[in-house]
Amino acid sequence: MSGEERLPVVYQINGRRLETTVRPGDRLLRVLRGLGEHSVKYGCDTGECGACTVLVDGEPILACLYPAIRADGKAITTVAALGHPDALDPLQAAFLAHGAVQCGYCTPAMLLAARALLARDPAADTAAIRTALAGVLCRCTGYVKPVEAIAAYVASGAEPAAATTPAPPEGRPALRSPAPRPGG
Ligand code: FES
Ligand code: FES
């Protein structure tokens, strides 16, 4: 298979259907950033830092390792789906209120990892929160304030401002690739 060959894919990025083409060896991080999704951070590019975390069909994955072709037909959620400066998601607001954002480079990944946790365990305790954040390297906060922010959000009983697990595009199967899930 030629390295220049391009394969058609259909993504649903934050609820928006998008058709594009990818090379067989492309990883999702570079494809998303090439599509303008710059909230997905480029860190180590080797699966170590977690900064590139996005949700694929609601599950956190490392986009720098995840094959772009494997996301065909799937729903991709970036931090842009949570809220925006004029209408923050309550979890984002909790991060700000608790001083959990310093340089901010890890923050999109932390928020998405937390959202994935809370989708399956809305009453997550501190231990579960720490486990959920363990894959995201933060050089600034020591994790104390992000954990406090998420715990405070859980205690508040607030609801998400936006869905973080949009349905796959119509007419496309949720799973199209038998490949393993590196970084998943
Ligand atoms: S960029 Fe560091 S884990 Fe993906
Ligand atoms: S806030 Fe700077 S890396 Fe986490």
Side-chain angles (χ1 to χ4, degrees):
M1 184 175 285
S2 165
E4 294 305 310
E5 182 177 359
R6 299 192 70 89
L7 305 169
V9 294
V10 179
Y11 298 150
Q12 183 161 307
I13 303 176
N14 299 334
R16 177 174 55 98
R17 179 185 168 96
L18 192 147
E19 297 184 24
T20 187
T21 60
V22 299
R23 292 172 299 192
D26 280 345
R27 302 296 165 155
L28 189 58
L29 172 60
R30 290 172 189 269
V31 171
L32 289 176
R33 289 183 62 87
L35 292 169
E37 299 293 336
H38 295 132
S39 73
V40 188
K41 297 305 182 192
Y42 184 100
C44 63
D45 207 25
T46 59
E48 297 294 329
C49 74
C52 62
T53 298
V54 298
L55 305 185
V56 172
D57 285 348
E59 292 296 325
I61 61 93
L62 298 177
C64 70
L65 298 183
Y66 196 93
I69 189 69
R70 183 172 167 76
D72 182 25
K74 297 187 178 181
I76 300 167
T77 305
T78 77
V79 76
L82 268 63
H84 55 80
D86 295 330
L88 292 177
D89 179 90
L91 188 58
Q92 292 172 307
F95 266 56
L96 287 181
H98 288 265
V101 181
Q102 292 189 23
C103 84
Y105 207 77
C106 72
T107 305
M110 281 208 181
L111 288 165
L112 289 170
R115 268 279 166 251
L117 167 67
L118 298 173
R120 63 178 185 273
D121 183 5
D125 62 14
T126 299
I129 294 168
R130 287 189 178 279
T131 298
L133 298 186
V136 182
L137 178 65
C138 178
R139 293 174 174 83
C140 306
T141 65
Y143 299 90
V144 173
K145 292 187 181 301
V147 172
E148 287 178 354
I150 298 165
Y153 170 84
V154 170
S156 76
E159 296 289 330
T164 55
T165 56
E170 275 185 34
R172 303 301 294 265
L175 294 170
R176 289 178 59 87
S177 168
R181 297 184 56 193

